[in-house]
mmCIF file of all heavy atoms in Angstrom:
data_model
loop_
_atom_site.group_PDB
_atom_site.id
_atom_site.type_symbol
_atom_site.label_atom_id
_atom_site.label_comp_id
_atom_site.label_asym_id
_atom_site.label_seq_id
_atom_site.Cartn_x
_atom_site.Cartn_y
_atom_site.Cartn_z
ATOM 1 N N ASN A 26 43.140 132.979 38.339
ATOM 2 C CA ASN A 26 43.499 134.360 38.627
ATOM 3 C C ASN A 26 45.002 134.492 38.723
ATOM 4 O O ASN A 26 45.662 133.708 39.401
ATOM 5 C CB ASN A 26 42.863 134.824 39.949
ATOM 6 C CG ASN A 26 41.348 134.780 39.902
ATOM 7 O OD1 ASN A 26 40.753 135.169 38.894
ATOM 8 N ND2 ASN A 26 40.732 134.301 40.976
ATOM 9 N N ILE A 27 45.559 135.489 38.060
ATOM 10 C CA ILE A 27 47.003 135.702 38.062
ATOM 11 C C ILE A 27 47.432 136.336 39.377
ATOM 12 O O ILE A 27 46.868 137.330 39.824
ATOM 13 C CB ILE A 27 47.419 136.601 36.873
ATOM 14 C CG1 ILE A 27 47.156 135.877 35.557
ATOM 15 C CG2 ILE A 27 48.874 137.002 36.973
ATOM 16 C CD1 ILE A 27 47.449 136.708 34.335
ATOM 17 N N SER A 28 48.426 135.746 40.036
ATOM 18 C CA SER A 28 48.963 136.277 41.310
ATOM 19 C C SER A 28 50.484 136.286 41.213
ATOM 20 O O SER A 28 51.163 135.478 41.828
ATOM 21 C CB SER A 28 48.500 135.421 42.491
ATOM 22 O OG SER A 28 48.855 134.072 42.290
ATOM 23 N N MET A 29 51.011 137.181 40.407
ATOM 24 C CA MET A 29 52.421 137.183 40.045
ATOM 25 C C MET A 29 53.333 137.456 41.238
ATOM 26 O O MET A 29 53.151 138.435 41.957
ATOM 27 C CB MET A 29 52.669 138.244 38.973
ATOM 28 C CG MET A 29 53.865 137.975 38.111
ATOM 29 S SD MET A 29 53.436 136.872 36.774
ATOM 30 C CE MET A 29 52.500 137.969 35.728
ATOM 31 N N GLY A 30 54.308 136.573 41.468
ATOM 32 C CA GLY A 30 55.385 136.875 42.407
ATOM 33 C C GLY A 30 55.165 136.449 43.838
ATOM 34 O O GLY A 30 56.113 136.396 44.611
ATOM 35 N N THR A 31 53.929 136.160 44.252
ATOM 36 C CA THR A 31 53.682 135.867 45.665
ATOM 37 C C THR A 31 54.330 134.553 46.085
ATOM 38 O O THR A 31 54.799 134.424 47.210
ATOM 39 C CB THR A 31 52.172 135.813 45.950
ATOM 40 O OG1 THR A 31 51.573 134.854 45.071
ATOM 41 C CG2 THR A 31 51.535 137.178 45.716
ATOM 42 N N SER A 32 54.365 133.571 45.200
ATOM 43 C CA SER A 32 54.958 132.279 45.550
ATOM 44 C C SER A 32 56.454 132.402 45.795
ATOM 45 O O SER A 32 57.005 131.768 46.696
ATOM 46 C CB SER A 32 54.696 131.263 44.434
ATOM 47 O OG SER A 32 53.322 130.998 44.303
ATOM 48 N N GLY A 33 57.125 133.221 44.997
ATOM 49 C CA GLY A 33 58.555 133.430 45.200
ATOM 50 C C GLY A 33 58.853 134.027 46.550
ATOM 51 O O GLY A 33 59.799 133.608 47.232
ATOM 52 N N HIS A 34 58.038 134.995 46.981
ATOM 53 C CA HIS A 34 58.244 135.603 48.300
ATOM 54 C C HIS A 34 58.021 134.582 49.413
ATOM 55 O O HIS A 34 58.723 134.586 50.427
ATOM 56 C CB HIS A 34 57.303 136.795 48.485
ATOM 57 C CG HIS A 34 57.590 137.947 47.565
ATOM 58 N ND1 HIS A 34 58.856 138.484 47.427
ATOM 59 C CD2 HIS A 34 56.789 138.657 46.742
ATOM 60 C CE1 HIS A 34 58.820 139.469 46.558
ATOM 61 N NE2 HIS A 34 57.582 139.591 46.117
ATOM 62 N N ALA A 35 57.041 133.698 49.229
ATOM 63 C CA ALA A 35 56.777 132.677 50.248
ATOM 64 C C ALA A 35 57.965 131.743 50.408
ATOM 65 O O ALA A 35 58.327 131.349 51.527
ATOM 66 C CB ALA A 35 55.527 131.885 49.879
ATOM 67 N N LEU A 36 58.617 131.387 49.294
ATOM 68 C CA LEU A 36 59.748 130.462 49.351
ATOM 69 C C LEU A 36 60.989 131.087 49.970
ATOM 70 O O LEU A 36 61.838 130.387 50.513
ATOM 71 C CB LEU A 36 60.071 129.955 47.942
ATOM 72 C CG LEU A 36 59.081 128.951 47.364
ATOM 73 C CD1 LEU A 36 59.337 128.749 45.884
ATOM 74 C CD2 LEU A 36 59.158 127.620 48.107
ATOM 75 N N GLN A 37 61.119 132.409 49.882
ATOM 76 C CA GLN A 37 62.273 133.074 50.481
ATOM 77 C C GLN A 37 62.324 132.865 51.992
ATOM 78 O O GLN A 37 63.399 132.806 52.585
ATOM 79 C CB GLN A 37 62.228 134.576 50.185
ATOM 80 C CG GLN A 37 62.503 134.945 48.745
ATOM 81 C CD GLN A 37 62.372 136.436 48.520
ATOM 82 O OE1 GLN A 37 62.308 137.217 49.468
ATOM 83 N NE2 GLN A 37 62.320 136.847 47.264
ATOM 84 N N ASN A 38 61.167 132.752 52.621
ATOM 85 C CA ASN A 38 61.081 132.688 54.081
ATOM 86 C C ASN A 38 60.415 131.391 54.538
ATOM 87 O O ASN A 38 59.605 131.392 55.463
ATOM 88 C CB ASN A 38 60.289 133.896 54.604
ATOM 89 C CG ASN A 38 60.877 135.213 54.158
ATOM 90 O OD1 ASN A 38 61.962 135.590 54.571
ATOM 91 N ND2 ASN A 38 60.165 135.922 53.288
ATOM 92 N N TYR A 39 60.795 130.304 53.902
ATOM 93 C CA TYR A 39 60.105 129.039 54.157
ATOM 94 C C TYR A 39 60.837 128.148 55.168
ATOM 95 O O TYR A 39 60.446 127.016 55.398
ATOM 96 C CB TYR A 39 59.936 128.286 52.826
ATOM 97 C CG TYR A 39 58.881 127.206 52.877
ATOM 98 C CD1 TYR A 39 57.541 127.521 53.057
ATOM 99 C CD2 TYR A 39 59.233 125.867 52.760
ATOM 100 C CE1 TYR A 39 56.578 126.528 53.107
ATOM 101 C CE2 TYR A 39 58.275 124.868 52.815
ATOM 102 C CZ TYR A 39 56.947 125.203 52.990
ATOM 103 O OH TYR A 39 55.992 124.227 53.045
ATOM 104 N N THR A 40 61.877 128.650 55.811
ATOM 105 C CA THR A 40 62.727 127.809 56.659
ATOM 106 C C THR A 40 61.932 127.040 57.704
ATOM 107 O O THR A 40 61.968 125.803 57.757
ATOM 108 C CB THR A 40 63.802 128.664 57.348
ATOM 109 O OG1 THR A 40 64.547 129.366 56.364
ATOM 110 C CG2 THR A 40 64.728 127.799 58.178
ATOM 111 N N ILE A 41 61.240 127.754 58.571
ATOM 112 C CA ILE A 41 60.529 127.089 59.673
ATOM 113 C C ILE A 41 59.432 126.182 59.126
ATOM 114 O O ILE A 41 59.192 125.086 59.654
ATOM 115 C CB ILE A 41 59.953 128.129 60.655
ATOM 116 C CG1 ILE A 41 61.099 128.798 61.432
ATOM 117 C CG2 ILE A 41 58.972 127.490 61.617
ATOM 118 C CD1 ILE A 41 60.660 129.779 62.491
ATOM 119 N N HIS A 42 58.789 126.582 58.040
ATOM 120 C CA HIS A 42 57.724 125.755 57.460
ATOM 121 C C HIS A 42 58.287 124.450 56.902
ATOM 122 O O HIS A 42 57.667 123.391 57.032
ATOM 123 C CB HIS A 42 57.004 126.533 56.370
ATOM 124 C CG HIS A 42 56.390 127.816 56.837
ATOM 125 N ND1 HIS A 42 55.246 127.867 57.593
ATOM 126 C CD2 HIS A 42 56.802 129.099 56.678
ATOM 127 C CE1 HIS A 42 54.953 129.119 57.877
ATOM 128 N NE2 HIS A 42 55.884 129.889 57.332
ATOM 129 N N ALA A 43 59.478 124.517 56.268
ATOM 130 C CA ALA A 43 60.092 123.300 55.723
ATOM 131 C C ALA A 43 60.431 122.322 56.841
ATOM 132 O O ALA A 43 60.202 121.109 56.719
ATOM 133 C CB ALA A 43 61.351 123.666 54.937
ATOM 134 N N ILE A 44 60.993 122.840 57.932
ATOM 135 C CA ILE A 44 61.323 121.986 59.086
ATOM 136 C C ILE A 44 60.049 121.421 59.700
ATOM 137 O O ILE A 44 59.970 120.230 60.030
ATOM 138 C CB ILE A 44 62.135 122.789 60.118
ATOM 139 C CG1 ILE A 44 63.461 123.245 59.496
ATOM 140 C CG2 ILE A 44 62.395 121.960 61.369
ATOM 141 C CD1 ILE A 44 64.191 124.288 60.327
ATOM 142 N N THR A 45 59.048 122.273 59.840
ATOM 143 C CA THR A 45 57.765 121.835 60.402
ATOM 144 C C THR A 45 57.138 120.732 59.554
ATOM 145 O O THR A 45 56.654 119.722 60.090
ATOM 146 C CB THR A 45 56.794 123.030 60.498
ATOM 147 O OG1 THR A 45 57.343 124.025 61.366
ATOM 148 C CG2 THR A 45 55.442 122.590 61.037
ATOM 149 N N ASP A 46 57.149 120.913 58.237
ATOM 150 C CA ASP A 46 56.550 119.906 57.346
ATOM 151 C C ASP A 46 57.198 118.541 57.540
ATOM 152 O O ASP A 46 56.507 117.508 57.592
ATOM 153 C CB ASP A 46 56.717 120.338 55.885
ATOM 154 C CG ASP A 46 55.808 121.497 55.514
ATOM 155 O OD1 ASP A 46 54.920 121.831 56.327
ATOM 156 O OD2 ASP A 46 56.003 122.079 54.431
ATOM 157 N N HIS A 47 58.536 118.529 57.652
ATOM 158 C CA HIS A 47 59.218 117.237 57.820
ATOM 159 C C HIS A 47 58.890 116.622 59.177
ATOM 160 O O HIS A 47 58.617 115.420 59.269
ATOM 161 C CB HIS A 47 60.724 117.404 57.684
ATOM 162 C CG HIS A 47 61.475 116.144 57.979
ATOM 163 N ND1 HIS A 47 61.357 115.008 57.199
ATOM 164 C CD2 HIS A 47 62.317 115.813 59.001
ATOM 165 C CE1 HIS A 47 62.097 114.046 57.708
ATOM 166 N NE2 HIS A 47 62.685 114.504 58.796
ATOM 167 N N ILE A 48 58.915 117.428 60.223
ATOM 168 C CA ILE A 48 58.616 116.903 61.561
ATOM 169 C C ILE A 48 57.203 116.324 61.605
ATOM 170 O O ILE A 48 56.972 115.234 62.155
ATOM 171 C CB ILE A 48 58.793 118.007 62.623
ATOM 172 C CG1 ILE A 48 60.273 118.373 62.763
ATOM 173 C CG2 ILE A 48 58.234 117.555 63.972
ATOM 174 C CD1 ILE A 48 60.535 119.544 63.689
ATOM 175 N N ILE A 49 56.252 117.023 61.019
ATOM 176 C CA ILE A 49 54.871 116.532 61.013
ATOM 177 C C ILE A 49 54.777 115.212 60.249
ATOM 178 O O ILE A 49 54.103 114.269 60.700
ATOM 179 C CB ILE A 49 53.934 117.595 60.396
ATOM 180 C CG1 ILE A 49 53.809 118.786 61.354
ATOM 181 C CG2 ILE A 49 52.561 116.998 60.091
ATOM 182 C CD1 ILE A 49 53.033 119.960 60.793
ATOM 183 N N ASP A 50 55.449 115.117 59.102
ATOM 184 C CA ASP A 50 55.420 113.867 58.328
ATOM 185 C C ASP A 50 55.961 112.699 59.146
ATOM 186 O O ASP A 50 55.361 111.604 59.169
ATOM 187 C CB ASP A 50 56.256 114.023 57.051
ATOM 188 C CG ASP A 50 55.581 114.899 56.014
ATOM 189 O OD1 ASP A 50 54.383 115.200 56.181
ATOM 190 O OD2 ASP A 50 56.255 115.305 55.042
ATOM 191 N N VAL A 51 57.105 112.908 59.803
ATOM 192 C CA VAL A 51 57.720 111.831 60.588
ATOM 193 C C VAL A 51 56.829 111.442 61.754
ATOM 194 O O VAL A 51 56.599 110.243 62.022
ATOM 195 C CB VAL A 51 59.114 112.262 61.077
ATOM 196 C CG1 VAL A 51 59.680 111.237 62.066
ATOM 197 C CG2 VAL A 51 60.075 112.430 59.905
ATOM 198 N N ARG A 52 56.310 112.433 62.463
ATOM 199 C CA ARG A 52 55.486 112.136 63.649
ATOM 200 C C ARG A 52 54.155 111.489 63.248
ATOM 201 O O ARG A 52 53.636 110.647 63.978
ATOM 202 C CB ARG A 52 55.271 113.414 64.454
ATOM 203 C CG ARG A 52 56.507 113.813 65.249
ATOM 204 C CD ARG A 52 56.393 115.208 65.862
ATOM 205 N NE ARG A 52 55.125 115.445 66.497
ATOM 206 C CZ ARG A 52 54.782 114.988 67.704
ATOM 207 N NH1 ARG A 52 55.655 114.277 68.426
ATOM 208 N NH2 ARG A 52 53.591 115.251 68.216
ATOM 209 N N ASN A 53 53.628 111.868 62.099
ATOM 210 C CA ASN A 53 52.398 111.202 61.631
ATOM 211 C C ASN A 53 52.648 109.724 61.351
ATOM 212 O O ASN A 53 51.794 108.872 61.635
ATOM 213 C CB ASN A 53 51.877 111.888 60.377
ATOM 214 C CG ASN A 53 51.188 113.211 60.674
ATOM 215 O OD1 ASN A 53 50.881 113.512 61.828
ATOM 216 N ND2 ASN A 53 50.962 114.007 59.644
ATOM 217 N N ASN A 54 53.809 109.413 60.806
ATOM 218 C CA ASN A 54 54.147 108.010 60.546
ATOM 219 C C ASN A 54 54.340 107.233 61.840
ATOM 220 O O ASN A 54 54.006 106.045 61.916
ATOM 221 C CB ASN A 54 55.420 107.932 59.706
ATOM 222 C CG ASN A 54 55.206 108.343 58.269
ATOM 223 O OD1 ASN A 54 54.096 108.242 57.751
ATOM 224 N ND2 ASN A 54 56.251 108.834 57.622
ATOM 225 N N LEU A 55 54.882 107.899 62.865
ATOM 226 C CA LEU A 55 55.150 107.215 64.131
ATOM 227 C C LEU A 55 53.927 107.129 65.033
ATOM 228 O O LEU A 55 53.726 106.123 65.719
ATOM 229 C CB LEU A 55 56.279 107.947 64.876
ATOM 230 C CG LEU A 55 57.678 107.896 64.254
ATOM 231 C CD1 LEU A 55 58.629 108.822 65.010
ATOM 232 C CD2 LEU A 55 58.221 106.473 64.265
ATOM 233 N N LEU A 56 53.125 108.194 65.041
ATOM 234 C CA LEU A 56 52.047 108.295 66.020
ATOM 235 C C LEU A 56 50.657 108.271 65.415
ATOM 236 O O LEU A 56 49.665 108.188 66.141
ATOM 237 C CB LEU A 56 52.200 109.598 66.839
ATOM 238 C CG LEU A 56 53.502 109.764 67.619
ATOM 239 C CD1 LEU A 56 53.564 111.150 68.246
ATOM 240 C CD2 LEU A 56 53.622 108.701 68.698
ATOM 241 N N GLY A 57 50.560 108.381 64.092
ATOM 242 C CA GLY A 57 49.251 108.499 63.467
ATOM 243 C C GLY A 57 48.874 109.962 63.275
ATOM 244 O O GLY A 57 49.534 110.876 63.756
ATOM 245 N N LEU A 58 47.781 110.162 62.560
ATOM 246 C CA LEU A 58 47.380 111.524 62.189
ATOM 247 C C LEU A 58 46.728 112.308 63.314
ATOM 248 O O LEU A 58 46.448 113.499 63.168
ATOM 249 C CB LEU A 58 46.407 111.456 60.994
ATOM 250 C CG LEU A 58 46.975 110.858 59.709
ATOM 251 C CD1 LEU A 58 45.875 110.761 58.658
ATOM 252 C CD2 LEU A 58 48.124 111.708 59.181
#
């Protein structure tokens, strides 16, 4: 299904999600899933 443009809007406001993704990756490596 075509969903034109929605991904671009998501990336414009991805700041907190990008930081969250990295923190989760690091903590999963240190503490487990």
Side-chain angles (χ1 to χ4, degrees):
N26 299 318
I27 294 176
S28 55
M29 205 84 74
T31 56
S32 295
H34 294 309
L36 287 168
Q37 289 177 13
N38 304 292
Y39 198 66
T40 304
I41 290 184
H42 301 286
I44 298 168
T45 299
D46 287 350
H47 174 65
I48 291 174
I49 290 174
D50 287 348
V51 172
R52 284 170 45 78
N53 284 347
N54 287 334
L55 292 172
L56 301 174
L58 298 176

